[in-house]
Short mmCIF file of all heavy atoms in Angstrom, two decimals:
data_model
loop_
_atom_site.label_atom_id
_atom_site.label_comp_id
_atom_site.label_asym_id
_atom_site.label_seq_id
_atom_site.Cartn_x
_atom_site.Cartn_y
_atom_site.Cartn_z
N ARG W 1288 164.17 130.34 97.11
CA ARG W 1288 163.13 130.09 98.11
C ARG W 1288 163.73 130.16 99.52
O ARG W 1288 163.20 130.85 100.40
CB ARG W 1288 162.50 128.72 97.86
CG ARG W 1288 161.55 128.26 98.95
CD ARG W 1288 161.03 126.84 98.65
NE ARG W 1288 160.28 126.32 99.76
CZ ARG W 1288 160.79 125.47 100.65
NH1 ARG W 1288 162.03 125.02 100.54
NH2 ARG W 1288 160.04 125.04 101.65
N LEU W 1289 164.82 129.44 99.72
CA LEU W 1289 165.45 129.42 101.04
C LEU W 1289 165.97 130.80 101.42
O LEU W 1289 165.86 131.22 102.58
CB LEU W 1289 166.57 128.38 101.08
CG LEU W 1289 166.13 126.93 100.93
CD1 LEU W 1289 167.34 126.01 100.84
CD2 LEU W 1289 165.20 126.52 102.06
N ASN W 1290 166.53 131.51 100.45
CA ASN W 1290 167.03 132.86 100.68
C ASN W 1290 165.89 133.80 101.09
O ASN W 1290 166.02 134.60 102.01
CB ASN W 1290 167.74 133.38 99.43
CG ASN W 1290 168.42 134.71 99.67
OD1 ASN W 1290 168.81 135.05 100.78
ND2 ASN W 1290 168.56 135.48 98.59
N LEU W 1291 164.77 133.69 100.39
CA LEU W 1291 163.62 134.54 100.71
C LEU W 1291 163.09 134.24 102.11
O LEU W 1291 162.78 135.17 102.88
CB LEU W 1291 162.52 134.34 99.67
CG LEU W 1291 161.29 135.21 99.78
CD1 LEU W 1291 161.65 136.69 99.81
CD2 LEU W 1291 160.33 134.93 98.63
N ILE W 1292 163.01 132.97 102.45
CA ILE W 1292 162.56 132.59 103.79
C ILE W 1292 163.50 133.17 104.85
O ILE W 1292 163.05 133.77 105.84
CB ILE W 1292 162.46 131.06 103.92
CG1 ILE W 1292 161.33 130.52 103.03
CG2 ILE W 1292 162.25 130.64 105.37
CD1 ILE W 1292 161.35 129.02 102.84
N ASP W 1293 164.80 133.03 104.63
CA ASP W 1293 165.79 133.55 105.59
C ASP W 1293 165.70 135.06 105.72
O ASP W 1293 165.74 135.60 106.83
CB ASP W 1293 167.21 133.15 105.16
CG ASP W 1293 167.48 131.68 105.36
OD1 ASP W 1293 166.75 131.01 106.13
OD2 ASP W 1293 168.44 131.17 104.73
N ARG W 1294 165.59 135.74 104.59
CA ARG W 1294 165.53 137.21 104.62
C ARG W 1294 164.28 137.71 105.33
O ARG W 1294 164.33 138.69 106.09
CB ARG W 1294 165.61 137.77 103.20
CG ARG W 1294 167.01 137.56 102.61
CD ARG W 1294 167.16 138.08 101.24
NE ARG W 1294 167.05 139.55 101.27
CZ ARG W 1294 166.94 140.29 100.18
NH1 ARG W 1294 166.96 139.72 98.99
NH2 ARG W 1294 166.84 141.59 100.27
N MET W 1295 163.15 137.05 105.09
CA MET W 1295 161.92 137.45 105.79
C MET W 1295 162.07 137.20 107.29
O MET W 1295 161.67 138.03 108.10
CB MET W 1295 160.71 136.66 105.25
CG MET W 1295 160.28 137.07 103.87
SD MET W 1295 158.90 136.07 103.25
CE MET W 1295 157.57 136.66 104.27
N ASN W 1296 162.66 136.07 107.64
CA ASN W 1296 162.83 135.72 109.04
C ASN W 1296 163.75 136.71 109.75
O ASN W 1296 163.52 137.06 110.90
CB ASN W 1296 163.37 134.29 109.16
CG ASN W 1296 163.15 133.71 110.54
OD1 ASN W 1296 162.41 134.24 111.34
ND2 ASN W 1296 163.81 132.61 110.81
N GLU W 1297 164.79 137.17 109.06
CA GLU W 1297 165.70 138.15 109.64
C GLU W 1297 165.07 139.53 109.76
O GLU W 1297 165.30 140.25 110.73
CB GLU W 1297 166.96 138.25 108.79
CG GLU W 1297 167.85 137.03 108.86
CD GLU W 1297 168.99 137.07 107.84
OE1 GLU W 1297 169.15 138.10 107.15
OE2 GLU W 1297 169.71 136.06 107.73
N ALA W 1298 164.26 139.91 108.78
CA ALA W 1298 163.71 141.26 108.72
C ALA W 1298 162.47 141.45 109.60
O ALA W 1298 162.20 142.56 110.05
CB ALA W 1298 163.35 141.62 107.28
N ILE W 1299 161.73 140.39 109.85
CA ILE W 1299 160.47 140.52 110.57
C ILE W 1299 160.52 139.71 111.85
O ILE W 1299 160.86 138.52 111.83
CB ILE W 1299 159.29 140.03 109.70
CG1 ILE W 1299 159.23 140.83 108.39
CG2 ILE W 1299 157.97 140.14 110.46
CD1 ILE W 1299 158.26 140.27 107.37
N ASP W 1300 160.17 140.37 112.94
CA ASP W 1300 160.11 139.68 114.23
C ASP W 1300 158.64 139.57 114.64
O ASP W 1300 157.94 140.58 114.72
CB ASP W 1300 160.89 140.44 115.29
CG ASP W 1300 160.90 139.71 116.61
OD1 ASP W 1300 161.15 138.49 116.63
OD2 ASP W 1300 160.63 140.36 117.64
#
Side-chain angles (χ1 to χ4, degrees):
R1288 172 183 172 260
L1289 295 175
N1290 186 27
L1291 184 55
I1292 292 167
D1293 289 341
R1294 291 180 66 190
M1295 288 178 72
N1296 198 13
E1297 290 171 5
I1299 302 170
D1300 183 47

